[in-house]
Each structure stands twice: as structure tokens, then as C-alpha cells.
Amino acid sequence: MSNAVKTIGVLTSGGDAPGMNAAIRAVVRTGIANGLHVKGIRRGFAGLLEEDIFDMSSLDVSDIIQLGGTILYTARCLEFKKLEYQMKGADICRKHGIDGIVVIGGDGSFNGASRLSEQGINTIGVPGTIDLDIACTEYTIGFDTAINTAMEAIDRLRDTSESHERCSIVEVMGRTAGHIALWTGIASGAEYILTTEEYHGDIQRIITKIQDRRKMGKKNHIIVNAEGIGNSNEMAKVIELATGVETRATILGHIQRGGNPTCKDRVYASAMGARAVELLCEGASNRVVGYHNGEFKDYDIQEALAMTKGLDPYLFHIMKKLTTRG
């Protein structure tokens, strides 16, 4: 293994995701095990520009693998889209002796990582986003925890919905991607799953099917609605007015980002963090770690960002068989 880098930094950027701490822990401990100095950068690229940088030891990442959120904090930094701030960020890295950085975040974070790589700082991205919307990978840190959190919430809502013979609309996260809605909808036995990719606003079809199933004796209805569709409260009013069935909207919101990460999120995040450091030690830059066909692989960041990702076609096929779609 070559000595391509001597000091590495690690930051988390964009939305937080359960499992980020496991990735941070793996970066720090793998770096130290490979003879590297490791520095933490608080609050993402914004913290880099403010030089909020500190030395990290193995002890600094003890007892964090089970924690949600990120001990490095996170922020969005619109300034970093501008060349002058990208150059400033690279200069700050050199000032602190950082010749390699691991960036844990989503596609916006990877754009920043790629720009930093262009300025001569070896940079590796690790996909940390609950939305599963990074096209080069079948897994992103936090998705498994988020869908389990949402599924458990929907299970609880099903109980009260049955007791009151209600229709419940449950809005899950997914502004531009419907993976959370698809997975949690199937897992919770939802009658209707509305995803940003497939729903086109035909609420009358949902109303008609609720009315038909009510006549057949169906007492409760669960509609899983992706955040990108939105308007859950208004949808509830329309359905209740048209069907006479009491309808409530529940927006799960940021509870999907929090909580203790699942075993899968802890293990896969650890593997991705460790692999990111190995790539830096090999002299790689402008790469993103992904998981595909049972293997942890790496891809060029720009190629990864150019890929498109739709809903899993087989899961979507299953959804059509198991639900009454709107």
C-alpha cells in the first residue's frame, strides 16, 4: 500500500442519516491503522471554509456507532458551488496538511467533493442519504433505518386506523425519489402507495377504490404518500368529503432521519468508510464508494452523478400486485 496521503479529513454534509457515525468511526480507525493522521471537519463544507478542523483519535469515535445523527454535525453550503470558495477550501486543506478527504453525504455533497478533487485534494465520497437516490449504489447509509422507522410508525397508525375505521394518509420522506414510500408501503401492507415517479394526481381513482372496498367490508385504509407529492392534509380533506370516511394525515417528517441505526446501516457504513480510506491510501481521488451485486465498489464521481435511478422494477411490479394503486 502506497503512502499517497499522510493526513486525511472527514466531513458529513447535507441531510443527516443514521449510520453516518459508523462511517466516521471506520474512517478514523482505518486511517490510524494505516499510519495516517485524521482530522475531523465540523459542519461539512461550511465548516471547512471556517477552518473548524480538529485532530481525531480512536478514543474520539468510541461509543458512537450506535448513535443517530453525526458527531461532526452537518450543514448545507451554497457558497461551495462557486470556484473561489472551492479554491479557498483546497487552500485551507493544504494549510492544515490535509491531502485527502472523505465526504459522507448525498449527490450535492459529491459535487462539492468532485470540485475539491479538481483543486488537487484527493477526495472520496461515501453515500450517506436516507433517500437511496444515488444511482451507482444499491445501498446508501441511513436508508435501512429510515424505512424501519417509517414502517413501525405505519404499523402503529394501522392499529388506531382500524379502531376508528379511518383512512390514514402517511407522508414519508422522498422529495424526488419514492424509494422510502415504495419499501415502507409494501412492508406495512398499505392499500395505496403514491410515489413521485408514478403518481400523477388522479385522486378520483383512490376515492373510487376506497368506496368500493368500503362496500366489501374494508374498515381501514392506509395510503403511503411520498413527500415529493405532498399535500397530504389537503388530500385527506378531499377523500373524507368524497367518501364520508374519516381521514387523517400524518407527516412523519424528520423522525425518519433520527434514531439508532440498524445493524445493516452500522455494518455497511463501516465497510464503506473503511473502503474510502483504503482508496485514499491507494492514491485514488474523485471516487465514490458504492455497493453493487454483493460487493463494495468504487466509481468516478461524475460518472456516478450522471447515472439515473428509478424505482426497483421488480418491487414496483410487486407493488402493483399487492396494492390498489391510485
Side-chain angles (χ1 to χ4, degrees):
M1 188 174 289
S2 67
N3 259 335
V5 294
K6 294 181 180 179
T7 300
I8 63 172
V10 56
L11 62 82
T12 50
S13 176
D16 61 308
M20 280 184 164
N21 283 326
I24 294 167
R25 175 179 179 271
V27 169
V28 172
R29 293 197 168 177
T30 305
I32 291 171
N34 281 280
L36 305 177
H37 298 291
V38 183
K39 293 179 181 286
I41 302 166
R42 296 187 183 94
R43 294 180 296 105
F45 293 111
L48 174 63
L49 294 176
E50 294 171 5
E51 299 189 53
D52 195 351
I53 300 167
F54 65 103
D55 293 323
M56 296 192 77
S57 67
S58 288
L59 190 60
D60 290 321
V61 292
S62 292
D63 303 322
I64 69 166
I65 196 169
Q66 79 280 8
L67 301 178
T70 162
I71 64 163
L72 293 177
Y73 308 105
T74 185
R76 303 186 191 278
C77 183
L78 296 178
E79 288 178 324
F80 213 75
K81 294 181 178 181
K82 299 177 181 178
L83 178 60
E84 61 182 295
Y85 292 102
Q86 296 159 15
M87 295 173 66
K88 179 181 178 181
D91 287 341
I92 289 170
C93 285
R94 284 185 278 268
K95 174 182 174 181
H96 288 265
I98 297 171
D99 34 30
I101 283 189
V102 177
V103 174
I104 306 167
D107 52 3
S109 303
F110 292 165
N111 270 310
S114 187
R115 299 288 86 80
L116 203 54
S117 180
E118 290 173 357
Q119 298 302 319
I121 306 300
N122 288 5
T123 312
I124 306 295
V126 172
T129 169
I130 67 169
D131 290 325
L132 194 66
D133 58 352
I134 305 295
C136 70
T137 182
E138 297 168 6
Y139 164 83
T140 60
I141 295 169
F143 177 71
D144 191 62
T145 305
I147 57 176
N148 276 281
T149 298
M151 179 189 70
E152 290 168 7
I154 295 168
D155 286 347
R156 286 166 170 76
L157 285 166
R158 171 81 75 178
D159 292 341
T160 189
S161 185
E162 172 69 20
S163 297
H164 291 271
E165 301 180 71
R166 284 178 185 147
C167 174
S168 289
I169 301 173
V170 187
E171 185 175 310
V172 299
M173 280 187 158
R175 207 165 40 245
T176 59
H179 303 286
I180 295 177
L182 177 62
W183 281 65
T184 57
I186 292 173
S188 60
E191 285 72 42
Y192 311 88
I193 303 172
L194 311 181
T195 69
T196 49
E197 294 87 345
E198 297 294 334
Y199 180 64
H200 303 296
D202 190 0
I203 196 169
Q204 185 56 49
R205 290 185 62 188
I206 299 173
I207 290 168
T208 300
K209 289 176 181 178
I210 289 174
Q211 291 169 331
D212 290 345
R213 277 148 187 79
R214 196 76 169 179
K215 292 174 185 176
M216 295 167 61
K218 179 71 175 172
K219 298 297 185 184
N220 73 84
H221 307 267
I222 297 290
I223 301 172
V224 175
N225 186 34
E227 174 189 15
I229 295 169
N231 299 317
S232 295
N233 287 303
E234 186 61 32
M235 189 182 293
K237 292 176 184 177
V238 172
I239 290 173
E240 181 168 334
L241 183 64
T243 64
V245 177
E246 183 182 5
T247 305
R248 298 284 182 87
T250 301
I251 300 172
L252 297 185
H254 285 80
I255 69 165
Q256 294 159 92
R257 290 197 181 278
N260 303 109
T262 60
C263 181
K264 182 173 184 177
D265 273 330
R266 299 182 199 195
V267 173
Y268 279 36
S270 296
M272 285 181 159
R275 182 62 189 138
V277 175
E278 291 172 352
L279 287 167
L280 286 174
C281 289
E282 293 165 10
S285 184
N286 201 44
R287 310 293 291 178
V288 56
V289 179
Y291 180 82
H292 186 68
N293 288 338
E295 295 182 73
F296 292 97
K297 301 181 178 181
D298 59 283
Y299 304 83
D300 178 87
I301 288 181
Q302 289 305 318
E303 288 181 9
L305 289 172
M307 296 178 185
T308 57
K309 183 175 189 174
L311 297 176
D312 183 300
Y314 188 64
L315 288 184
F316 186 69
H317 169 73
I318 290 172
M319 181 187 82
K320 289 192 290 184
K321 300 292 185 182
L322 298 180
T323 65
T324 50
R325 295 171 57 226

